[in-house]
Amino acid sequence: QVQLVESGGGSVQAGGSLRLSCAVFGSTYSTSYRAWFRQAPGKEREGVACIYTLGSRTVYADSVKGRFTISQDNAKTMVYLQMNSLTPEDTAMYYCAADPRWPGDTCLGLGPSYWGQGTQVTVSS
């Protein structure tokens, strides 16, 4: 069905930037939205940003507003997360996710059906 393959993680100093990429394999109609989640050791998984596949609406967590930008290419086969002004609090495993169901007014819940394997982001002081 839908497979997600992530790349772009790494180590960066505070104040730096990283761009995460997620390749989406499967029909465009197989996903209603795409999202990025993250989880730090000992912490709960949280939604970071999401984008509706067939529309332009995006949703961001308050902690990343103004710093992170989620986007997708014209063919809807790639999803990106541009991360600027990174801080050590952003250190986590970042996961790409997607779901065929319409999420309503928010797409940052923990219910996506498809998940990537994750890519590590480490921000040092």
Side-chain angles (χ1 to χ4, degrees):
Q1 294 180 317
V2 175
Q3 298 182 59
L4 308 173
V5 181
E6 304 163 355
S7 62
S11 181
V12 65
Q13 293 184 348
S17 300
L18 283 175
R19 178 186 293 175
L20 305 183
S21 299
C22 174
V24 183
F25 297 91
S27 173
T28 300
Y29 303 141
S30 296
T31 64
S32 179
Y33 67 92
R34 294 87 179 273
W36 288 96
F37 288 77
R38 68 184 182 185
Q39 185 170 26
K43 303 294 184 180
E44 296 292 329
R45 184 168 57 189
E46 63 175 340
V48 176
C50 55
I51 183 169
Y52 290 75
T53 304
L54 298 180
S56 59
R57 176 173 168 80
T58 57
V59 181
Y60 296 93
D62 290 339
S63 60
V64 305
K65 286 182 179 178
R67 299 189 298 122
F68 291 10
T69 302
I70 188 171
S71 62
Q72 59 189 358
D73 68 341
N74 292 334
K76 311 299 177 63
T77 60
M78 295 292 297
V79 184
Y80 305 98
L81 184 68
Q82 179 66 46
M83 304 184 294
N84 300 324
S85 301
L86 286 164
T87 74
E89 294 180 344
D90 296 315
T91 296
M93 184 73 72
Y94 283 72
Y95 298 90
C96 184
D99 197 277
R101 298 168 295 177
W102 183 256
D105 60 354
T106 181
C107 46
L108 286 180
L110 298 179
S113 298
Y114 307 111
W115 294 85
Q117 70 283 352
T119 183
Q120 179 67 40
V121 172
T122 302
V123 184
S124 62
S125 300

